């Protein structure tokens, strides 16, 4: 499936944004696939009026849309959660993240992607909600309604993401440094008077110590020297067909068993080259948070 990257200029800085139709290239779209129309984040940039925003921790989990009956992935596939997990959930849409703690993404994705959920694994997961899909209501009001819904549910598996005002850029950077040091991925900013609308906008901003993006693996390049006999670098492809190589960020285990051709990876980078390609790209992980396709 295609991978879309948009490049824009803000206050002299280039930002990359990503919109996925599917995280599994080559996985055919199912007839019942329904990608949810959810808000997506831009990157925090200088000049943002922080008085208009609330801040929360950026959870390194799996984005999920609860439609009142089941969870949908960003690619439009169903996460097979146990019935007991959602038994006390509100029967109305909720937007949030399936999460089991900091620095546990790989473990979490392995749990939620299974066609047959394993009860003991899901006991460690919580659905952290951060928005209420009501297009005509501003976020500050939606959040107050969320507080009431979560409290009324009585479910130990439904958690409200704490969001609060932030006074200044220096306060924001200090909090970012603190949460990242504790193992968090970063912070999120949500515009208080924003409507719930699909797509990428400055209504939602991610604040991180580094930039990251995704690409499709199209080739393995052999290693040299100490990496002889192992994978030396990945050849990856962006949405427009342009390709580049990533040769750093891999463990020895990654080099022995590199990401499969066609898989989607997340990589870190520092700015863009004059031609718009990521600079100093470094492998971060395989982005495998879509449910395992069901057998026909």
């Amino acid at each position: 499936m295609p991978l879309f990257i948009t490049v824009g200029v803000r206050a002299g800085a280039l930002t990359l944004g990503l919109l996925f139709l599917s995280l599994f290239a080559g996985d055919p779209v199912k007839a019942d696939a329904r990608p949810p129309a959810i808000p997506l984040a831009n990157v925090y940039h200088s000049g943002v009026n922080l008085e208009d925003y609330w801040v929360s921790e950026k959870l390194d989990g799996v984005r999920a849309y609860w439609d009142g009956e089941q969870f949908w992935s960003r690619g439009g596939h169903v996460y097979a959660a146990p019935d007991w997990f959602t038994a006390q959930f509100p029967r109305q849409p909720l937007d949030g993240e399936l999460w089991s703690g900091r620095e546990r993404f790989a473990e979490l994705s392995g749990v939620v992607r299974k066609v047959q959920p394993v009860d003991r694994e899901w006991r460690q997961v919580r659905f952290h909600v951060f928005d209420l899909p009501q297009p005509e209501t501003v976020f500050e009001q939606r959040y107050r309604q969320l507080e009431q819904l979560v409290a009324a549910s009585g479910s130990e598996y439904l958690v409200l993401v704490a969001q609060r005002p932030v006074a200044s850029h220096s306060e924001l950077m200090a909090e970012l440094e603190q949460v990242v040091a504790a193992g968090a991925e970063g912070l999120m900013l949500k515009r208080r008077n924003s409507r719930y609308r699909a797509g990428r906008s400055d209504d939602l901003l991610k604040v991180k110590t580094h930039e990251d993006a995704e690409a499709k693996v199209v080739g393995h390049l052999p290693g040299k020297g100490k990496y002889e006999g192992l994978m030396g670098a990945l050849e990856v492809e962006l949405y427009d067909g342009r390709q580049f190589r990533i040769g750093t960020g891999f463990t020895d285990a990654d080099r022995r068993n590199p990401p499969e051709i066609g898989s989607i990876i997340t990589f870190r980078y520092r700015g863009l080259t004059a031609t718009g390609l990521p600079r100093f790209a470094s492998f971060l992980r395989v982005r495998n948070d879509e449910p395992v396709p069901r057998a026909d």
Side-chain angles (χ1 to χ4, degrees), residues 251-271:
T251 64
D252 288 346
D254 293 329
R255 294 185 185 278
R256 286 192 294 270
N257 297 286
E260 296 180 359
I261 303 296
S263 62
I264 302 300
I265 65 162
T266 302
F267 63 90
R268 293 182 178 181
Y269 67 98
R270 284 185 283 168

Side-chain angles (χ1 to χ4, degrees), residues 69-113:
E69 296 181 356
Q70 56 192 353
F71 289 116
W72 292 91
S73 74
R74 284 197 304 177
H77 300 93
V78 174
Y79 289 117
D83 290 340
W84 53 261
F85 186 87
T86 60
Q88 295 174 258
F89 281 21
R91 298 302 155 184
Q92 65 186 81
L94 301 171
D95 191 359
E97 197 118 342
L98 292 167
W99 194 59
S100 56
R102 294 169 176 170
E103 301 180 311
R104 297 179 64 183
F105 174 81
E107 176 187 342
L108 172 72
S109 65
V111 171
V112 303
R113 294 173 65 241

Side-chain angles (χ1 to χ4, degrees), residues 171-183 187 209:
E171 179 182 310
L172 181 67
M173 293 298 102
E175 183 166 350
L176 176 64
E177 182 178 354
Q178 181 179 14
V179 297
V180 169
L187 298 171
T209 57

Side-chain angles (χ1 to χ4, degrees), residues 5-18 42-43 45 200 202 211 239 269 271-272 276:
I5 299 181
T6 58
V7 181
V9 180
R10 290 192 182 278
L14 284 168
T15 61
L16 281 176
L18 294 131
N42 278 333
V43 178
H45 52 84
R200 212 168 285 281
D202 279 3
E211 298 174 278
Y239 80 105
Y269 67 98
L272 300 173

Side-chain angles (χ1 to χ4, degrees), residues 144-221:
R144 300 307 178 201
Q145 293 179 45
L146 268 180
E147 289 182 309
Q148 297 174 5
L149 284 171
V150 171
S153 75
S155 173
E156 64 177 296
Y157 301 105
L158 186 64
V159 179
L160 180 70
V161 174
Q163 309 197 45
R164 61 172 182 78
V166 58
S168 65
H169 174 78
S170 59
E171 179 182 310
L172 181 67
M173 293 298 102
E175 183 166 350
L176 176 64
E177 182 178 354
Q178 181 179 14
V179 297
V180 169
E185 187 178 26
L187 298 171
M188 298 297 295
L189 292 171
K190 183 72 174 180
R191 201 190 304 268
R192 293 187 296 118
N193 66 353
S194 62
R195 307 284 180 173
Y196 189 92
R197 56 177 179 171
R200 212 168 285 281
S201 76
D202 279 3
D203 288 343
L204 186 63
L205 298 171
K206 55 185 176 182
V207 188
K208 304 177 72 172
T209 57
H210 63 272
E211 298 174 278
D212 59 40
E214 278 77 24
K216 181 173 70 173
V217 177
V218 296
H220 299 148
L221 303 174

Side-chain angles (χ1 to χ4, degrees), residues 1-2 4 19-23 27-40 63-67 70-79 95 196 198-199 290-291:
M1 299 302 298
F4 296 94
L19 173 60
F20 283 89
L21 295 186
S22 174
L23 294 179
D27 177 26
V29 176
K30 308 289 184 177
D32 62 348
R34 301 186 309 180
I38 55 178
L40 299 170
R63 183 75 174 269
Y65 183 95
W66 169 252
D67 70 358
Q70 56 192 353
F71 289 116
W72 292 91
S73 74
R74 284 197 304 177
H77 300 93
V78 174
Y79 289 117
D95 191 359
Y196 189 92
E290 283 289 307

Side-chain angles (χ1 to χ4, degrees), residues 220-236:
H220 299 148
L221 303 174
K224 299 178 181 179
K226 68 176 182 179
Y227 296 131
E228 186 173 357
L230 304 174
M231 182 271 292
L234 294 179
E235 187 82 17
V236 299

